[in-house]
C-alpha cells in the first residue's frame, strides 16, 4: 500500500512538472515540448495499473496501433520519423487539462452546494447548453469542467446533462474564432473568409441548441434534471476567467493561443487567490492537489496522449503512402465538399478525431479562392458533428475520464443528433458553395 501511495505521489509530481515545463515553453526561452511529453508519459506509466480497465485497454490499443503505423511508415515507405518527438501528440491538450484542474482551488469552488437558483426540465437543459456554448467559445474545453463540476455537486451527472455539455461545446466549433478547430483550419487555409463562416455557422449552432432541447425533452423525463443556472453568481467565475483570457489574448500575450493562455492562467489565478491566506496555506493546498487530484487524472491524460500517438502514426503513414503528387479532387465544389464532410464525420464514428480527416484531406487538395472558405466550413462542421459523436474526440475522452461515462455510450446517444446535424450541415454546405464558388 505504501509503494502504491509513493508511486502515485511521484506521478503527481511529474504531472505538475510537466505543466510547469509547458508554461516555461510559452516564454520561448527554451523548447520544452519534448520534456513535457516525457514527464507526462512517465507519469502515465507509473499510474498504468490504476487506470480503469476499459480506459486502459482502449489506451493500450491506441498506443499499439499508433506505434505500429509509425514503424510501417518508416520500414515500408521510408518515411522520416522523428522518434524522440513521437510522444508529443496532444501534449498541449493534456497540460491544459492539468491547468484547468486548478479551478478547484479558486475561491469557493469547494462549496458543497452550488450557488444560484435551481433550474430543471427543458429550460435547465437549454441553459446548460447556452452556458457551455457561449463560455466555451472562449474557454474551450475548460468550460465543460466548470459547468459539469458545478452540476455534479448535487448528484452524479445524468445522460441529458452529459449530452447538453457535449453538444454545447462541440457546436461552438461551427463559428468560434477562438476554438481549436478554427486555429487548425486557418493554419491549413489562411485565405478563409471568416465572415462567410460566421454567417452560416452561427445560425447552425443555434439550431443545434434548439435541436438538443427538443430531442432530450422527447427522449427523457427532465423534471428532476438540474441545469446550469445562468444567474450572475453562477456565471461570475467562468465569466471572469473568460474576460481574463481575452485580456491576455488581445493585449498581454497576443502571440499565444487560447489553449496556451488557459494552461497558465488558471493555475496562476488559483495561486494568487490562495496566497491571500498565506504562503504555508497555499503550499499545503498545492501539495494536496498534486498528490491526490493530479494522479486522479490518469484516465484523461492517458487517453489524450494515446490518441495523440495514434493521430501521429496515421497521418505519417497516410502522407508516406499517398505521396505529394496525387490530388483527390481537381475541383472542390458543392458535391466534393459534401462527400468530404460525410467521410470525415463517418471516420469519427470509428474513433478517428476529425483533425485527422481534416489534415489528411487538406494534404491531398489544391484549393484556390473561395474553395478555401468552403473547405474551412466543411472542416468546421465535420469537427462539430464528429467530436459530438466520436468516442475518441476530446470532449468525449474528457467526459469519460472525468465523469466515468462510456465514450461509446455517448456515441450511441448522439447518433440521432448527429444525423440531424449532418443533414443541416449538408444544406449549409450547399448554400455556402453557392455563395463563395
Amino acid at each position: 500500500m505504501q509503494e502504491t501511495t509513493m508511486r502515485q505521489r511521484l506521478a503527481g509530481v511529474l504531472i505538475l512538472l510537466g505543466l510547469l515545463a509547458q508554461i516555461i515553453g510559452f516564454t520561448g526561452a527554451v523548447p520544452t515540448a519534448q520534456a513535457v511529453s516525457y514527464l507526462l508519459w512517465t507519469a502515465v506509466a507509473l499510474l498504468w495499473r490504476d487506470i480503469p480497465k476499459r480506459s486502459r485497454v482502449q489506451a493500450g490499443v491506441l498506443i499499439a496501433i499508433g506505434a505500429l503505423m509509425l514503424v510501417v511508415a518508416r520500414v515500408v515507405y521510408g518515411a522520416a520519423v522523428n522518434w524522440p518527438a513521437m510522444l508529443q501528440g496532444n501534449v498541449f491538450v493534456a497540460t491544459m487539462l492539468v491547468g484547468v484542474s486548478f479551478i478547484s482551488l479558486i475561491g469557493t469552488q469547494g462549496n458543497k452546494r452550488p450557488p444560484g437558483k435551481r433550474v430543471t426540465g427543458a429550460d435547465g437543459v437549454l441553459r446548460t447548453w447556452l452556458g457551455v456554448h457561449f463560455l466555451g467559445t472562449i474557454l474551450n474545453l475548460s468550460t465543460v469542467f466548470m459547468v459539469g463540476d458545478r452540476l455534479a455537486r448535487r448528484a452524479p451527472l445524468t445522460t441529458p446533462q452529459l449530452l447538453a455539455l457535449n453538444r454545447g461545446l462541440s457546436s461552438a466549433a461551427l463559428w468560434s474564432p477562438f476554438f481549436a478547430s478554427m486555429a487548425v483550419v486557418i493554419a491549413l487555409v489562411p485565405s478563409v473568409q471568416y465572415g462567410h463562416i460566421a454567417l452560416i455557422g452561427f445560425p447552425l449552432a443555434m439550431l443545434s441548441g434548439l435541436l438538443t432541447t427538443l430531442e432530450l425533452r422527447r427522449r427523457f423525463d427532465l423534471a428532476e434534471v438540474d441545469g446550469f443556472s445562468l444567474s450572475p453568481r453562477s456565471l461570475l467565475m467562468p465569466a471572469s476567467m473568460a474576460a481574463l483570457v481575452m485580456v491576455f489574448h488581445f493585449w498581454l500575450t497576443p502571440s499565444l493561443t487560447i489553449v496556451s493562455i488557459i494552461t497558465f492562467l488558471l493555475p496562476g489565478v488559483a495561486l494568487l487567490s490562495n496566497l491571500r491566506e498565506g504562503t504555508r496555506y497555499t503550499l499545503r493546498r498545492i501539495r494536496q492537489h498534486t498528490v491526490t487530484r493530479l494522479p486522479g487524472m490518469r484516465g484523461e491524460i492517458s487517453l489524450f496522449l494515446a490518441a495523440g500517438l495514434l493521430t501521429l502514426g496515421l497521418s505519417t503513414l497516410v502522407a508516406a503512402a499517398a505521396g505529394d503528387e496525387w490530388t483527390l479532387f481537381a475541383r472542390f465544389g458543392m458535391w466534393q465538399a459534401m462527400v468530404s464532410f460525410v467521410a470525415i464525420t463517418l471516420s469519427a464514428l470509428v474513433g478517428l478525431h476529425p483533425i485527422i480527416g481534416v489534415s489528411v484531406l487538406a494534404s491531398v487538395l489544391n484549393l484556390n479562392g473561395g474553395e478555401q472558405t468552403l473547405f474551412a466550413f466543411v472542416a468546421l462542421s465535420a469537427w462539430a458533428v464528429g467530436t459530438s459523436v466520436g468516442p475518441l474526440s476530446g470532449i468525449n475522452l474528457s467526459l469519460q475520464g472525468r465523469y466515468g461515462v462510456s465514450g461509446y455510450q455517448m456515441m450511441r446517444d448522439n447518433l440521432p443528433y448527429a444525423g440531424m446535424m449532418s443533414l443541416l450541415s449538408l444544406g449549409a454546405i450547399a448554400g455556402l458553395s453557392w455563395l463563395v464558388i
Side-chain angles (χ1 to χ4, degrees), residues 38 101 138 147 158 204 214 233 300 321 435:
Y38 292 161
S101 72
I138 299 173
V147 176
T158 62
L204 187 58
L214 295 176
R233 186 179 178 189
E300 301 156 79
L435 183 64

Side-chain angles (χ1 to χ4, degrees), residues 5-319:
T5 301
M6 292 302 296
R7 173 173 53 82
Q8 292 174 337
R9 288 180 177 178
L10 176 59
V13 171
L14 292 176
I15 293 171
L16 179 63
L17 290 176
L19 173 64
L20 295 175
Q22 181 81 327
I23 294 173
I24 291 173
F26 294 153
T27 65
V30 58
T32 61
Q34 198 161 300
V36 175
S37 68
Y38 292 161
L39 287 167
L40 294 185
W41 277 93
T42 302
V44 167
L46 289 172
L47 296 168
W48 188 256
R49 71 179 72 171
D50 304 323
I51 298 173
K53 183 178 179 180
R54 182 178 61 202
S55 298
R56 188 168 66 245
V57 170
Q58 184 171 294
V61 169
L62 296 179
I63 291 169
I65 294 176
L68 178 62
M69 286 191 292
L70 285 175
V71 171
V72 171
R74 179 69 185 95
V75 174
V76 177
Y77 296 99
V81 178
N82 186 354
W83 296 108
M86 65 180 284
L87 302 178
Q88 294 181 22
N90 280 349
V91 161
F92 70 100
V93 180
T95 51
M96 185 198 76
L97 293 175
V98 175
V100 167
S101 72
F102 283 83
I103 289 175
S104 62
L105 302 182
I106 297 176
T108 59
Q109 290 293 307
N111 288 353
K112 294 183 178 180
R113 291 183 58 84
K117 180 181 178 181
R118 185 186 183 196
V119 290
T120 58
D123 183 47
V125 167
L126 180 59
R127 292 191 186 201
T128 299
W129 187 94
L130 288 170
V132 173
H133 183 83
F134 285 106
L135 292 173
T137 59
I138 299 173
L139 295 179
N140 290 261
L141 195 55
S142 58
T143 307
V144 171
F145 301 138
M146 287 182 178
V147 176
D149 287 358
R150 185 176 295 276
L151 294 175
R153 287 180 204 150
R154 291 190 188 274
L157 295 183
T158 62
T159 298
Q161 290 173 319
L162 290 165
L163 293 176
L165 293 173
N166 168 296
R167 299 173 188 181
L169 184 73
S170 59
S171 57
L174 288 164
W175 67 277
S176 172
F178 308 112
F179 220 65
S181 57
M182 190 68 74
V184 171
V185 165
I186 291 175
L188 293 173
V189 284
S191 298
V192 59
Q193 296 295 316
Y194 173 73
H196 290 146
I197 297 294
L199 180 66
I200 303 294
F202 182 76
L204 187 58
M206 296 304 100
L207 286 175
S208 164
L210 178 62
L211 178 63
T212 294
T213 304
L214 295 176
E215 184 212 357
L216 296 185
R217 185 173 65 179
R218 180 181 59 82
R219 290 175 56 192
F220 301 95
D221 180 6
L222 303 178
E224 293 301 319
V225 175
D226 285 300
F228 177 61
S229 172
L230 294 176
S231 66
R233 186 179 178 189
S234 63
L235 286 171
L236 179 60
M237 205 277 276
S240 298
M241 292 307 306
L244 276 176
V245 168
M246 290 298 95
V247 168
F248 275 86
H249 180 66
F250 286 111
W251 291 289
L252 300 181
T253 55
S255 62
L256 294 181
T257 65
I258 295 291
V259 170
S260 300
I261 292 170
I262 290 171
T263 302
F264 74 80
L265 184 60
L266 268 63
V269 172
L271 181 64
L272 292 175
S273 66
N274 280 273
L275 280 174
R276 294 177 301 179
E277 305 295 329
T279 304
R280 182 174 299 179
Y281 171 83
T282 302
L283 292 175
R284 184 169 68 248
R285 292 202 74 188
I286 292 177
R287 177 185 178 278
Q288 184 69 16
H289 188 79
T290 300
V291 300
T292 57
R293 177 69 186 98
L294 296 189
M297 298 181 67
R298 54 190 176 269
E300 301 156 79
I301 294 175
S302 63
L303 287 172
F304 269 106
L305 295 180
L309 179 57
L310 173 70
T311 300
L312 175 65
L314 181 60
S315 59
T316 302
L317 179 58
V318 169

